[in-house]
Amino acid sequence: MRSNRLPEIPENIQSAPDLPPLREVIARHGISARRGLGQHFLLDLNLTARIAAASGDLGGCTAIEIGPGPGGLTRALLASAAKSVVAVERDQRCIDALLELAKAYPGRLHVEHGDALDIDEIALCRAKGGGPYKIVANLPFNIATVLLVKWLKRIRDFRSLTLTLQKEVAGRLCARPRTKEYGRLSVMTQWLCEVRSMFDIPPQAFTPPPKVTSTVVHLKPLVQPAAKATWDDLERVTKAAFGQRRKMLRTSLKSLGVDTTILIASAGVSPTARAEELDVAAFCALARAYSKTRP
């Protein structure tokens, strides 16, 4: 679902007057973007404020930011009503810049040097002021999908995820059945979350400009998953089905190692259907049937 209106910037979001320009911070710390880290810095403070606003009311929440770089979005989060911001950054050059920012907001910015793929965000935040938790981040392109799957597996720990992703990836999260973008990530995400595409950010807004447009998406955990299933069973079924998405289910699901005739009949779906034709509820039905027939 796409929102046709950009989120308004709350009146309480404004840059602290004594902060140096981001370009000055980058130059002083020698922070040139590194391709290996998937770095593209967003320096437009109007855009970072809109991303923070897209996360909704941050009042009383701990905002978790992954890959803050020199701190553009971090400034907007600190200027919001968030009770604290926990920033996880792998690049030591950026750590030094972020620690300077932390001095301007005593006790509100907690900087963690580490790899987001390895860190337990919730355990880290419990030691830094507690929840509730919202992730707000311009994700490094090279690990965005892996991080998203990591968070989906524990989605109940978060109030929301507001993420800047490649437009192609964002499109997959929002994709509907019978479209070419619809796939495993669409099913797993929509099973657990309400997904909204908020607004696009053009390449030239970043330093250096990536080759693709980015999109800000907002994921809000559903009160209950869209249908009954377990993560492992649903993941296996969608992997098999979309692994051969052009084939009918009676063929693509053979890799599950079960009698596909019984499996498909138990789920109440058509054996001649293809993966892209099934909605989330149908995949969950397959996952439940698989749980009863798997070895």
Side-chain angles (χ1 to χ4, degrees), residues 180 240-249 251-252 272-277:
K180 65 179 181 179
F242 285 105
Q244 300 183 72
R245 64 183 296 147
R246 295 183 181 276
K247 295 185 180 294
M248 296 178 185
L249 292 175
T251 299
S252 63
T272 59
R274 293 174 171 79
E276 65 183 25
E277 299 175 38

Side-chain angles (χ1 to χ4, degrees), residues 7 22 24 39 50 55 88 101 112 118 130 137 148 156 195 216 224 262 273 280:
L22 282 170
E24 177 184 316
Q39 291 176 326
R50 290 195 178 280
S55 65
V88 179
L101 181 58
E112 181 72 13
D118 301 326
L148 176 58
R156 308 306 306 171
V195 186
V216 177
Q224 296 291 337
I262 295 175
V280 174

Side-chain angles (χ1 to χ4, degrees), residues 48-113:
T48 57
R50 290 195 178 280
I51 294 171
S55 65
D57 183 8
L58 287 168
C61 294
T62 292
I64 304 171
E65 185 183 7
I66 304 299
L73 177 57
T74 317
R75 295 186 181 199
L77 294 173
L78 288 166
S80 76
K83 66 179 178 181
S84 63
V85 178
V86 174
V88 179
E89 177 57 61
R90 181 179 172 185
D91 190 341
Q92 180 61 57
R93 301 169 305 161
C94 296
I95 293 292
D96 296 336
L98 291 167
L99 290 175
E100 289 185 3
L101 181 58
K103 292 179 181 178
Y105 292 91
R108 291 194 59 223
L109 174 59
H110 307 282
V111 181
E112 181 72 13
H113 185 203

Side-chain angles (χ1 to χ4, degrees), residues 42-54:
L42 186 59
L43 308 183
D44 185 326
L45 297 182
N46 182 60
L47 282 173
T48 57
R50 290 195 178 280
I51 294 171

Side-chain angles (χ1 to χ4, degrees), residues 245-265:
R245 64 183 296 147
R246 295 183 181 276
K247 295 185 180 294
M248 296 178 185
L249 292 175
R250 64 189 179 194
T251 299
S252 63
L253 294 179
K254 286 183 178 180
S255 62
L256 291 172
V258 300
D259 187 322
T260 56
T261 301
I262 295 175
L263 174 67
I264 292 170

Side-chain angles (χ1 to χ4, degrees), residues 16-293:
D18 56 343
L19 294 179
L22 282 170
R23 292 188 183 278
E24 177 184 316
V25 173
I26 288 174
R28 180 154 38 84
H29 291 277
I31 307 175
S32 57
R34 292 178 176 172
R35 180 179 298 179
L37 296 177
Q39 291 176 326
H40 297 278
F41 302 138
L42 186 59
L43 308 183
D44 185 326
L45 297 182
N46 182 60
L47 282 173
T48 57
R50 290 195 178 280
I51 294 171
S55 65
D57 183 8
L58 287 168
C61 294
T62 292
I64 304 171
E65 185 183 7
I66 304 299
L73 177 57
T74 317
R75 295 186 181 199
L77 294 173
L78 288 166
S80 76
K83 66 179 178 181
S84 63
V85 178
V86 174
V88 179
E89 177 57 61
R90 181 179 172 185
D91 190 341
Q92 180 61 57
R93 301 169 305 161
C94 296
I95 293 292
D96 296 336
L98 291 167
L99 290 175
E100 289 185 3
L101 181 58
K103 292 179 181 178
Y105 292 91
R108 291 194 59 223
L109 174 59
H110 307 282
V111 181
E112 181 72 13
H113 185 203
D115 191 329
L117 294 174
D118 301 326
I119 284 176
D120 182 335
E121 296 87 1
I122 300 301
L124 174 63
C125 290
R126 284 178 182 145
K128 306 294 184 182
Y133 311 106
K134 289 189 174 187
I135 293 180
V136 189
N138 300 329
L139 294 182
F141 286 172
N142 58 345
I143 59 171
T145 301
V146 178
L147 284 174
L148 176 58
V149 171
K150 170 189 172 185
W151 296 329
L152 286 175
K153 288 181 177 180
R154 59 184 309 179
I155 194 64
R156 308 306 306 171
D157 288 330
F158 306 108
R159 284 279 183 89
S160 66
L161 312 177
T162 304
L163 311 173
T164 304
L165 307 164
Q166 292 184 59
K167 187 172 184 177
E168 178 184 356
V169 176
R172 288 161 58 196
L173 302 188
C174 303
R176 311 309 299 173
R178 299 179 183 275
T179 63
K180 65 179 181 179
E181 294 84 8
Y182 186 66
R184 290 173 59 195
L185 194 60
S186 315
V187 174
M188 301 305 290
T189 304
Q190 294 172 32
W191 173 49
L192 297 171
C193 300
E194 173 191 330
V195 186
R196 296 180 64 198
S197 177
M198 303 301 288
F199 58 94
D200 293 340
I201 301 178
Q204 58 268 28
F206 294 87
T207 301
K211 296 180 179 179
V212 296
T213 296
S214 298
T215 299
V216 177
V217 295
H218 181 74
L219 279 63
K220 181 179 179 180
L222 297 171
V223 175
Q224 296 291 337
K228 185 178 179 180
T230 68
W231 176 277
D232 288 345
D233 289 336
L234 187 57
E235 185 176 47
R236 291 190 183 104
V237 167
T238 54
K239 180 179 181 181
F242 285 105
Q244 300 183 72
R245 64 183 296 147
R246 295 183 181 276
K247 295 185 180 294
M248 296 178 185
L249 292 175
R250 64 189 179 194
T251 299
S252 63
L253 294 179
K254 286 183 178 180
S255 62
L256 291 172
V258 300
D259 187 322
T260 56
T261 301
I262 295 175
L263 174 67
I264 292 170
S266 298
V269 300
S270 171
T272 59
R274 293 174 171 79
E276 65 183 25
E277 299 175 38
L278 301 189
D279 61 14
V280 174
F283 272 112
C284 288
L286 279 170
R288 293 194 300 274
Y290 173 64
S291 72
K292 298 176 182 178
T293 58

